[in-house]
């Protein structure tokens, strides 16, 4: 259950303050000047630096990559980190804490990766993080806390993801989070806490998912429109993308509950389709544009979606999942057709199990492709309930089978593969399969032409604006029939003749969306006309006079009707062949 709380009393976050007190690691190298000079480059796994002399000495060794932890902490005399300019990576933790005189991190400008956590805590003189500008990702926690003079996070602008906790807390002078604007995912807990000067959370507008809890608390002057996407605007939970609880309170106006934040964002108005018409293999959509007053989430374009064929199947077998006894269930799709379109596929599962790390789940398509959906993963709870690939992440990419034939048996297989001493059993409560032929086209405005649709089919089409809030709101749907068409005019690719007969071979570039049922040819000497038909692209016209010149043309027929006639051939004069064999057969025999 997700909660939106507004506690009456401030709370003390001891877990956030603990990193400020870090003093050393178990395995560190702490060498004096003599030791530094004698050491090989990065000879130790972990380093703990507490004086300017130790910083400069490590730099003098030429050390360029720290395999473990690099801690720069609890110093009164470190003013700069210029001596660390050779370091390009830290394998685990990079911790810079409680350095009273440190004003910049410019000496770290060559670090491009931090495998573990990055902590910048309790550095009272630090005004910016510009020295971190080349770091693109943090594998563990990213904690920025208790830096009294820090005004911005611009030095974090190249970080796109945080593996675990993202904590921004107790930074008294911090006014914006704009330096976080490129972070799209936080793997764990997101906490924005007690930043007294913070005015807004606009820097989080690109953040699409949080893997654990979301806490925004005691930022007394902050507005929170920037997290509207996370909260599932406009409806809120359960449309949010926060995996755990949501705790919001004691912030600025409009930022004291989920409802307040969602209400504070107006978002774009819903567009309306004003005209929809079919063209050859496409649909033209004209629409009234959306407008918005939200400067944080401007409209950047539009997306049109047309859905044709669809299938929606499910069952609730309540099948017991016993150790090492696979359960297979089948849903059969029929009448989906055709196979030539790209289909969206979603798989719903509802499994009760005390330990999802015991489970292995696959889906086999009608064409025999096996997709691994779950391989002893951790759901964060005792059950697996959701949809692959939207709320649950499959091992294999489901869209890889999107162009296969959809009709036939889809087989779900669930197995408890645990062989341990404890017996953990469960139940496959229900599962389902949704398939749709969805054709999507982006555009800057009206009109948008959706190409690639299938002729002879009805489509349900919508248009939606694209903003930082997502692709919504979606217009009301309109139904458009894309009709079958006449075949394209054939092209005569070869001609041949024999005694009283002319033979044409043709090709048709486009069948009009329906199978060609008949090919016909017509030959004339200027006075009389002779015709022939065939179910194949090779057509014979018989009853002709040897020695007389004829010009010929061809057409094709499908369920709609017949195409126009092809361009006339050059003159063809049939004659009796001395060999008694037609030229085309002689030619074939010589190949």
């Amino acid at each position: 259950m997700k909660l939106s709380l507004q506690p009456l009393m401030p709370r003390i976050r001891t877990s956030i303050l603990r990193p400020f007190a870090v003093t050393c690691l178990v395995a560190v190298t702490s060498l004096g000047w003599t030791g530094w000079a004698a050491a090989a480059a990065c000879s130790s796994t972990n380093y703990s630096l507490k004086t300017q002399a130790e910083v400069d000495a490590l730099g003098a060794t030429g050390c360029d990559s720290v395999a473990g932890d690099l801690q720069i902490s609890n110093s009164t005399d470190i003013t700069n980190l210029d001596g660390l300019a050779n370091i390009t990576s830290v394998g685990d933790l990079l911790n810079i804490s409680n350095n009273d005189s440190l004003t910049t991190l410019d000496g770290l400008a060559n670090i491009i990766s931090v495998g573990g956590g990055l902590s910048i805590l309790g550095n009272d003189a630090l005004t910016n993080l510009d020295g971190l500008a080349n770091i693109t990702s943090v594998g563990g926690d990213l904690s920025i806390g208790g830096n009294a003079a820090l005004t911005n996070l611009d030095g974090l602008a190249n970080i796109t993801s945080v593996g675990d906790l993202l904590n921004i807390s107790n930074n008294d002078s911090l006014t914006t989070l704009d330096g976080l604007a490129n972070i799209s995912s936080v793997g764990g807990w997101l906490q924005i806490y007690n930043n007294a000067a913070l005015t807004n959370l606009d820097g989080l507008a690109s953040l699409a998912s949080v893997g654990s809890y979301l806490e925004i608390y005691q930022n007394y002057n902050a507005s929170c429109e920037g997290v509207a996407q996370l909260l599932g605007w406009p409806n809120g939970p359960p449309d949010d993308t926060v995996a755990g609880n949501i705790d919001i309170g004691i912030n600025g106006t409009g930022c004291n509950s989920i409802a307040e934040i969602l209400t504070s964002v107006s978002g774009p108005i819903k567009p309306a389709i004003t005209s929809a018409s079919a063209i050859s293999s496409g649909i033209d959509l004209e629409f009234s544009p959306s407008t918005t007053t939200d400067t944080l989430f401007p409209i950047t374009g539009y997306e049109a979606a047309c859905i044709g064929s669809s299938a929606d199947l499910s069952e609730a077998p309540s099948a017991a999942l016993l150790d090492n006894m696979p359960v297979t269930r089948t849903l059969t799709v029929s009448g989906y057709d055709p196979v030539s379109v790209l289909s969206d596929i979603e798989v719903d599962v509802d499994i009760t199990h005390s330990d999802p790390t015991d489970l292995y789940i696959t889906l086999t398509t009608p064409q025999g492709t096996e997709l691994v959906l779950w391989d002893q993963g951790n759901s964060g709870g005792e059950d697996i309930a959701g949809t692959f690939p939207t709320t649950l992440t499959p091992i294999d990419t489901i869209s890889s089978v999107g162009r296969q034939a959809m009709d036939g048996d889809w087989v779900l297989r669930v197995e408890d593969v645990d062989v341990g001493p404890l017996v953990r059993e469960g139940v496959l409560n229900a599962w389902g399969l949704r398939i749709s032929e969805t054709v999507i086209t982006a555009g800057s405005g009206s009109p948008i032409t959706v190409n690639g649709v299938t002729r002879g089919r009805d489509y349900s089409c919508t248009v939606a604006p694209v903003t930082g809030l997502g692709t919504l709101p979606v217009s009301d749907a309109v139904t458009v029939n894309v009709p079958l068409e006449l075949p394209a005019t054939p092209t005569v690719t070869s001609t041949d003749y024999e005694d009283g007969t002319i033979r044409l071979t043709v090709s048709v570039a486009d069948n009009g969306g329906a199978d060609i049922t008949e090919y016909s040819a017509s030959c004339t000497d200027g006075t009389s006309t002779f015709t022939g038909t065939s179910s194949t692209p090779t057509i014979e016209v018989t009853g002709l006079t040897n020695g007389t010149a004829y010009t010929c043309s061809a057409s094709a027929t499908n369920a709609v009707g017949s195409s126009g006639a092809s361009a006339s051939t050059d003159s063809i004069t049939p004659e009796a062949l001395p060999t008694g064999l037609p030229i085309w057969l002689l030619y074939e025999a010589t190949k």
Side-chain angles (χ1 to χ4, degrees), residues 75-381:
S75 171
T76 58
D77 75 327
I78 295 178
T79 60
N80 67 79
L81 305 179
D82 296 350
L84 305 181
N86 289 328
I87 296 179
T88 60
S89 66
V90 176
D92 202 347
L93 172 68
L94 173 57
N95 176 41
I96 304 170
S97 300
N98 301 318
N99 300 289
D100 296 342
S101 303
L102 184 64
T103 58
T104 76
L105 304 180
D106 293 351
L108 305 180
N110 287 318
I111 295 180
I112 58 176
S113 67
V114 176
L118 172 59
S119 298
I120 312 295
L121 306 170
N123 304 284
D124 289 341
L126 188 64
T127 60
N128 66 76
L129 305 180
D130 295 352
L132 306 178
N134 286 318
I135 298 176
T136 58
S137 66
V138 176
D141 296 347
L142 173 57
S143 297
I144 312 295
N147 303 288
L150 185 66
T151 60
N152 66 77
L153 304 178
D154 295 351
L156 306 180
N158 284 320
I159 296 178
T160 58
S161 65
V162 176
D164 204 342
L165 166 74
L166 173 56
N167 167 247
I168 310 295
S169 63
N170 300 297
N171 300 288
D172 294 340
S173 302
L174 184 65
T175 58
T176 76
L177 304 181
D178 293 352
L180 305 180
N182 288 316
I183 295 180
S184 60
S185 65
V186 172
W189 181 12
L190 171 60
Q191 183 179 55
I192 311 297
Y193 172 69
N194 197 32
N195 301 284
L198 190 62
T199 60
N200 62 72
L201 305 186
D202 293 358
L204 300 179
S206 297
L207 185 58
S209 65
V210 170
S212 183
Y213 299 109
L214 170 64
E215 182 176 39
I216 303 169
Y217 199 77
Q218 287 189 333
N219 305 284
Y220 301 104
N221 299 298
S223 62
C224 296
E225 292 91 339
V227 295
Q229 179 187 197
L230 278 176
L231 298 179
W233 183 91
N235 300 316
D239 295 341
D240 63 295
T241 54
V242 179
N245 290 342
I246 299 173
D247 186 357
I248 297 172
I250 314 183
N251 301 299
T253 302
C255 186
N256 292 293
S257 69
I258 293 174
E260 281 189 13
I261 296 173
L262 296 176
T263 301
S264 71
V265 178
S266 60
I269 64 169
K270 184 168 73 173
I273 297 175
T274 57
S275 174
S277 56
I279 59 174
S280 182
S281 297
I283 298 173
D284 277 340
L285 298 174
E286 295 184 8
F287 55 93
S288 60
S290 299
T291 58
T292 183
T293 58
D294 271 309
T295 56
L296 180 58
F297 303 108
I299 295 170
T300 58
Y302 293 85
E303 186 175 278
C306 293
I307 299 176
S309 213
S310 63
D312 190 347
L313 305 173
S314 63
E315 66 165 351
S318 296
L321 299 174
L322 308 179
D323 286 357
N324 301 299
M325 295 181 64
V327 169
T328 60
R329 303 295 303 181
T330 301
L331 291 173
T332 302
V333 175
S334 62
Y336 180 86
D337 190 56
V339 300
S340 61
V341 299
L342 180 63
S343 299
D344 287 336
I345 304 168
E346 294 183 342
V347 183
D348 299 324
V349 294
D350 182 353
I351 296 174
T352 301
H353 199 283
S354 60
D355 189 0
T357 62
D358 290 350
L359 297 180
Y360 185 74
I361 306 173
T362 64
L363 178 71
T364 302
T365 72
Q367 291 193 359
T369 302
E370 183 180 88
L371 300 170
V372 178
L373 302 181
W374 187 270
D375 187 1
Q376 302 177 76
N378 191 339
S379 67

Side-chain angles (χ1 to χ4, degrees), residues 38-83:
C42 296
S43 59
S44 293
T45 299
N46 303 311
Y47 293 91
S48 179
L49 311 177
K50 300 182 183 301
T51 68
Q52 187 69 55
E54 289 179 343
V55 170
D56 295 340
L58 178 58
T61 68
C63 177
D64 62 1
S65 179
V66 175
D69 299 336
L70 174 58
Q71 296 217 59
I72 304 160
S73 60
N74 301 303
S75 171
T76 58
D77 75 327
I78 295 178
T79 60
N80 67 79
L81 305 179
D82 296 350

Side-chain angles (χ1 to χ4, degrees), residues 440-453:
I440 297 175
T441 302
S444 59
S446 179
I448 293 178
T449 299
V450 180
N451 291 310
V453 298

